[in-house]
């Protein structure tokens, strides 16, 4: 029996994310990314980088996930924690195209990666490289240097980077082959900051004494922005106690520093590794200057009183006071996250894209721990995506009638947002409410576009969360961006599903049973965001001892390509039984008469099971593979033929080959072998080696061979084209 199904490989199709108790934790038998630490630390030291990041494929998703990070705080890197393989970014381009990607300076960054430049408007040099072993792609490595570094890595640096990628690839391959693949966790492993030397107790005290003697105040920030040392004078200038400042971020400990300038200056120093200075007003009238000097281990800050146009009186040391309550996250972080969300949503295609991007960006931007995205369908509120909740809880709340009196329904039907700082607040507004989600605060936001509601968004917090007027305004604005993206995505999905249904209707639902012949077929659509394609395959029973097989690929990814594919299949069926060269000749004449402005590659095979032979002809199609009964495998270099639909007088040649029992004939489309940066002959040879290693003997084993070939292709390089595969095994 022939079955057609989708196989997930290293870069397989996207699966629906469902957050449960173990989300983000490597699965059974998996190894954490800590195993990569020593190699990454070594390459960072040898190349003198200021930041290092390793990305690994997310399980069962075409996404690269940040697995190891050094030199940059996790909070700053959150917008790039998950990078879609199809996205335009240095690391996804490097992995997808299997090449080194180098970017230097704001101008080049803005030209090549405008979305990244919008959110990171700083000077630095960056390199992204794929982590590979042979034809297998295991992830990506990103290295960043200070702004003063030359725009491209030196030959020595390239050598060290290449060596590190080879070592990382071997580690990842060995772990996978041992059944313990290295999988990314919900948050990356943080590399320890490099230090030139470590001080003993006496030297450490001497360093404190030295800092205390300096004019003005000084403090030290770790890579994460938290204060690890502060002098007495600095604490006095800041108006806070030393014990209240240590371990805190300045803009969290001091309310008057929670404005974009302070945090943005820190981000600029960390990312560019250049000195940065700014002024800040400590209420009511004390101006302070801050000078930040960074390196890979952190930032040294000098603080001094100064004068400005608004403060002419001498500044005296203020008394010590308790700091304001923390403000988390800082306003600069929130603004950058929202800018990234807006830019990302412009590239979101379908509803799944929107849901993933909202979850990835909104939760860290506002410090929420869970969210649910809902739309109105058939008089009910349907949950179309969530993060941070369990599937059981979501199922309990899904499909609530629009007549029910709940915060999410009311936000949708009235268009009025609701904010509840505690469960007591929620209970007062909705007395029947039952505390079921173990959260402490909620925001219910209507998603409104063009004056009409399209859904609602629920954000939940682990702790009581008083929503300031400013935060409410930003949340409402974010909801407007999400609503517009969701509305576009729903229209796209409707059109996309219609096209998919058309293509599915044109492909064979089942293949006929032919005595003495075992077959296996696979069809994998292109990654999300692509339109439908024109790949097809077919098996035609002619009589008790003969059959015909065909495979082809119509140029393009649209409805026209799918429609033409149906016409090609019909033409092949109408002429099946004739000599292969005649079948292609007649089909070619039909296509040129139709003048579709699209070209088609096709391979047709006449199978004679009694004589154990196959006669083949090709019209510009990739060479079939033949696995002999002894396991020897070769690519059949058939006489080339012109693509169908170009020249009505084109001729084609037939080639007869032996096809004894135990052999395997593999027909496939170019999506299985073509990838950027990979020589097509090398890719075909690699696929032939994979077929040679597979064993078609035994029940259901031909299906396993088909899965092996598809997974080999997925590991070899990320694909952006449809894949069709037909295996023919005489028994």
């Amino acid at each position: 029996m022939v079955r057609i199904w989708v196989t997930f490989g290293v870069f397989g199709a996207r699966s629906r994310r469902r957050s449960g108790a173990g989300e983000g934790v490597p699965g059974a038998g998996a190894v954490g990314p800590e195993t990569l630490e020593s190699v990454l630390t070594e390459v960072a030291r040898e190349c003198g980088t200021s930041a290092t990041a390793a990305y690994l494929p997310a399980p069962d998703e075409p996404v690269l996930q940040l697995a190891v990070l050094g030199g940059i705080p996790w909070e700053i890197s959150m917008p790039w924690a998950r990078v879609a393989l199809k996205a335009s970014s240095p690391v996804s381009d490097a992995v997808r195209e299997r090449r080194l990607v180098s970017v230097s300076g704001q101008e080049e960054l803005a030209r090549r990666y405008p979305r990244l430049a919008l959110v990171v408007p700083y000077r630095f040099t960056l390199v992204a490289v794929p982590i590979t072993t042979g034809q297998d792609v295991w992830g990506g490595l990103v290295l960043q240097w200070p702004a003063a570094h030359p725009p491209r890595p030196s030959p020595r640096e390239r050598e060290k980077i290449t060596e590190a990628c080879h070592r990382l690839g071997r580690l990842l391959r060995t772990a996978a082959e041992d059944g313990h693949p290295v999988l990314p966790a919900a948050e990356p492993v943080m590399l320890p900051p490099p230090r030139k030397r470590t001080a003993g107790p006496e030297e450490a005290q001497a360093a404190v004494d030295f800092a205390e003697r300096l004019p003005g105040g000084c403090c030290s920030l770790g890579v994460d922005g938290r204060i690890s040392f502060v002098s007495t004078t600095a604490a006095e200038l800041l108006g806070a106690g030393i014990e209240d400042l240590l371990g805190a971020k300045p803009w969290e400990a001091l309310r008057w520093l929670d404005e974009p300038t302070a945090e943005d200056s820190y981000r600029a120093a960390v990312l560019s590794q250049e000195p940065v200075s700014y002024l800040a007003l400590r209420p009511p009238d004390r101006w302070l200057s801050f000078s930040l000097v960074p390196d890979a281990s952190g930032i040294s800050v000098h603080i001094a009183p100064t004068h400005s146009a608004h403060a002419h009186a001498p500044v005296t040391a203020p008394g010590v006071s308790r700091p304001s309550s923390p403000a988390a996250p800082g306003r600069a972080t929130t603004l950058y996250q929202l800018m990234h969300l807006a830019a990302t949503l412009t590239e979101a295609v379908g509803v799944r894209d929107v849901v993933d991007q909202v979850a990835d960006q909104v939760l860290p931007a506002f410090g929420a721990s869970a969210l649910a995205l809902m739309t109105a369908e058939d008089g009910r509120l349907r949950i179309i995506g969530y993060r941070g909740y369990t599937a059981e809880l979501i199922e309990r709340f899904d499909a609530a009638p629009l007549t029910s009196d709940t915060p999410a329904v009311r936000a949708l039907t009235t268009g009025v947002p609701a904010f509840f700082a505690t469960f007591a607040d929620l209970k007062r507004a909705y007395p029947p409410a039952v505390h079921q989600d173990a959260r402490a605060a909620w925001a219910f936001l209507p998603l409104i576009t063009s004056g009409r509601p399209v859904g609602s968004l629920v954000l939940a917090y682990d702790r009581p969360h008083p929503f300031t007027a400013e935060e409410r305004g930003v949340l409402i604005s974010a909801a407007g961006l999400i609503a517009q993206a969701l509305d576009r995505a729903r229209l796209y999905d409707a059109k996309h599903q219609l096209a998919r249904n058309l293509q599915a209707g044109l492909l064979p639902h089942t293949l006929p049973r032919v005595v003495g012949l075992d077959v296996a077929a696979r069809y994998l659509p292109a990654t999300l965001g692509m339109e439908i394609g024109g790949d097809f395959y077919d098996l035609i029973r002619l009589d008790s001892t003969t059959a015909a097989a065909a495979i082809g690929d119509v140029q393009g990814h649209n409805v026209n390509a799918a429609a033409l594919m149906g016409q090609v299949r019909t033409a092949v069926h109408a002429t099946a039984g004739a000599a292969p060269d005649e079948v292609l000749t007649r089909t070619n004449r039909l296509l040129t008469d139709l003048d579709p402005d699209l070209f088609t590659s096709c391979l047709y095979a006449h199978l004679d099971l009694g004589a154990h032979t196959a006669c083949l002809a090709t019209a510009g199609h990739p060479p079939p593979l033949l696995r002999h009964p002894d396991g020897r495998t070769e690519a059949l270099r058939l006489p080339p033929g012109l693509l169908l639909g170009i020249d009505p007088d084109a001729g084609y040649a037939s080639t007869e080959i032996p096809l004894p029992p135990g052999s395997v004939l593999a027909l496939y489309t170019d999506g299985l072998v073509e990838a950027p940066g990979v020589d097509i002959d090398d890719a075909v040879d690699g696929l032939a080696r994979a077929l040679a290693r597979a064993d078609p003997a035994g029940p259901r084993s031909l299906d396993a061979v088909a899965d092996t070939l598809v997974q080999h292709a997925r590991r070899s390089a990320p694909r952006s084209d449809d894949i069709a595969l037909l295996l023919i095994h005489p028994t």
Side-chain angles (χ1 to χ4, degrees):
M1 178 179 178
V2 178
R3 296 180 303 158
I4 305 167
W5 55 304
V6 175
T7 303
F8 294 102
V10 173
F11 293 106
R14 182 186 299 270
S15 66
R16 179 170 178 134
R17 278 181 71 91
R18 290 191 175 269
S19 299
E23 181 183 356
V25 179
V31 175
E34 296 86 356
T35 188
L36 310 179
E37 277 190 62
S38 60
V39 178
L40 295 172
T41 300
E42 183 178 339
V43 71
R45 183 183 67 253
E46 291 182 336
C47 293
T49 60
S50 56
T52 307
Y55 283 83
L56 298 177
D60 294 339
E61 293 183 276
V63 170
L64 294 170
Q65 187 163 333
L66 185 58
V68 184
L69 178 66
I72 298 178
W74 165 228
E75 290 82 358
I76 290 181
S77 302
M78 279 182 179
W80 300 279
R82 289 166 49 86
V83 179
L85 196 60
K86 66 179 182 182
S88 176
S89 76
V91 67
S92 56
D93 286 356
V95 171
R96 190 176 59 249
E97 300 171 12
R98 297 172 60 96
R99 65 181 179 88
L100 181 146
V101 174
S102 181
V103 185
S104 181
Q106 291 172 282
E107 183 177 341
E108 183 180 7
L109 187 67
R111 185 178 69 253
R112 296 174 58 188
Y113 301 104
R115 179 154 59 92
L116 180 60
L118 177 68
V119 187
V120 190
Y122 312 114
R123 298 193 326 128
F124 54 81
T125 294
L126 179 145
V127 162
V129 288
I131 300 172
T132 62
T133 55
Q135 294 295 314
D136 295 337
V137 182
W138 300 99
L141 173 64
V142 178
L143 301 173
Q144 183 176 312
W145 285 272
H149 187 275
R152 300 291 180 264
S154 67
R156 178 185 175 278
E157 289 168 342
R158 289 182 69 112
E159 179 183 348
K160 295 296 182 182
I161 294 169
T162 301
E163 179 184 341
C165 286
H166 287 164
R167 292 174 61 191
L168 292 170
R170 288 194 295 270
L171 283 172
L172 294 167
R173 182 185 63 189
T174 300
E177 290 175 347
D178 290 344
H180 303 287
V182 180
L183 299 179
E187 294 188 8
V189 173
M190 301 301 298
L191 296 176
R195 286 187 169 84
K196 295 180 179 178
R197 62 191 183 93
T198 302
E202 292 186 5
E203 189 177 11
Q205 183 58 51
V208 172
D209 294 339
F210 170 80
E212 293 286 3
R213 289 191 293 268
L214 292 174
C218 61
C219 68
S220 177
L221 306 182
V223 173
D224 60 359
R226 299 187 182 278
I227 299 172
S228 56
F229 167 79
V230 59
S231 69
T232 303
T233 303
E236 292 172 347
L237 289 171
L238 296 173
I242 291 177
E243 67 279 3
D244 298 313
L245 293 171
L246 289 175
K249 297 176 182 178
W251 46 90
E252 292 178 352
L254 304 163
R255 178 72 70 177
W256 52 274
L257 272 181
D258 184 23
E259 47 84 27
T261 301
E263 191 178 353
D264 185 67
S265 298
Y266 155 74
R267 292 168 62 99
V270 168
L271 293 172
S272 70
Q273 291 291 293
E274 292 184 315
V276 177
S277 298
Y278 67 95
L279 299 179
L281 175 64
R282 180 197 161 193
D285 57 3
R286 300 186 187 276
W287 283 89
L288 301 175
S289 70
F290 294 80
S291 299
L292 285 62
V293 180
D295 74 359
S297 65
I299 298 176
S300 298
V301 184
H302 181 257
I303 308 170
T306 188
H307 301 279
S308 77
H310 304 285
H312 296 286
V315 178
T316 57
V320 175
S321 63
R322 301 289 297 181
S324 304
S325 58
R331 271 190 276 177
T333 295
T334 300
L335 291 175
Y336 280 114
Q337 292 276 8
L338 285 178
M339 289 171 61
H340 192 269
L341 173 64
T344 300
L345 287 178
T346 62
E347 299 180 2
V349 182
V351 170
R352 188 71 256 158
D353 263 353
V354 173
V355 170
D356 285 344
Q357 293 300 340
V358 168
D360 289 342
Q361 306 301 326
V362 170
L363 288 181
F366 295 103
S369 59
L371 65 76
L373 195 61
M374 294 163 280
T375 60
E377 296 178 10
D378 301 324
R380 294 183 178 273
L381 195 60
R382 297 283 183 179
I383 300 175
I384 61 173
Y386 61 92
R387 186 77 61 84
Y389 286 123
T390 63
E392 293 75 17
L393 186 66
I394 289 298
E395 290 173 2
R396 201 178 307 162
F397 287 98
D398 192 18
L402 294 181
T403 55
S404 59
D405 187 21
T406 64
V409 169
R410 187 177 296 182
L412 171 67
T413 56
T414 66
V416 178
F419 302 91
F420 303 101
T422 64
F423 179 70
D425 294 341
L426 178 62
K427 187 74 172 176
R428 279 191 294 271
Y430 296 88
V434 178
H435 201 176
Q436 301 185 64
D437 67 353
R439 297 312 197 275
W442 300 265
F444 295 88
L445 305 167
L447 303 178
I448 301 174
T449 180
S450 301
R452 59 184 177 84
V454 297
S456 57
L457 171 67
V458 179
L459 290 177
Y461 297 76
D462 285 335
R463 298 173 183 169
H465 188 90
F467 295 91
T468 65
E470 179 184 24
E471 186 177 11
R472 293 183 185 208
V474 175
L475 281 170
I476 293 170
S477 298
L481 294 173
I482 295 167
Q484 294 175 19
L486 185 61
D487 200 34
R488 292 193 306 269
R490 293 175 71 185
L491 290 174
Y492 170 85
D493 281 349
K495 173 186 173 184
H496 195 68
Q497 188 58 47
L498 178 63
R500 286 287 186 202
N501 291 342
L502 169 63
Q503 186 175 41
L506 295 174
L507 284 171
H509 296 288
T510 60
L511 295 178
R513 291 178 177 272
V514 178
V515 177
L517 199 64
D518 190 11
V519 294
R522 297 289 183 270
Y523 175 78
L524 280 75
T527 55
L528 185 64
M530 300 292 289
E531 295 292 338
I532 64 171
D535 289 23
F536 69 92
Y537 59 86
D538 220 336
L539 182 70
I540 306 165
R541 185 179 183 276
L542 300 176
D543 58 35
S544 60
T545 60
T546 61
I551 195 162
D553 184 2
V554 178
Q555 172 194 18
H557 289 85
N558 50 43
V559 174
N560 292 337
L564 183 60
M565 175 263 284
Q567 293 172 316
V568 174
R569 281 195 63 222
T570 300
V572 170
H573 266 266
T575 55
D581 57 318
E582 185 64 22
V583 170
L584 293 184
T585 298
R586 295 178 186 178
T587 304
N588 176 58
R589 288 173 184 160
L590 172 64
L591 292 189
T592 52
D593 288 343
L594 293 174
D595 192 21
D597 289 330
L598 295 174
F599 306 134
T600 303
S601 73
C602 184
L603 190 146
Y604 179 88
H606 181 89
L607 310 173
D608 189 334
L609 303 180
H612 303 303
T613 61
C615 190
L616 304 95
T618 181
H621 202 78
L625 303 179
L626 178 61
R627 185 186 193 275
H628 297 274
D630 61 2
R632 180 173 55 89
T633 303
E634 61 179 319
L636 302 176
R637 307 295 177 178
L638 306 176
L642 197 62
L643 291 169
L644 304 178
I646 297 178
D647 180 3
D649 297 322
Y652 301 91
S654 296
T655 301
E656 187 172 275
I657 63 168
L659 192 66
S663 60
V664 176
L665 182 64
L667 313 181
Y668 56 92
T669 56
D670 56 9
L672 195 66
V673 289
E674 284 190 350
V678 179
D679 181 80
I680 186 65
D681 290 334
D682 291 342
V684 170
D685 290 342
L687 187 67
R689 288 192 294 273
L691 178 58
R693 292 191 296 268
D695 183 7
R700 295 173 57 84
S701 58
L702 198 63
D703 277 328
V705 173
D707 296 340
T708 297
L709 297 184
V710 170
Q711 292 195 22
H712 166 81
R714 290 296 195 188
R715 285 196 304 270
S716 298
R719 310 284 162 173
S720 59
D721 198 3
D722 296 348
I723 291 175
L725 172 67
L726 180 62
L727 298 182
I728 299 166
H729 176 50
T731 57

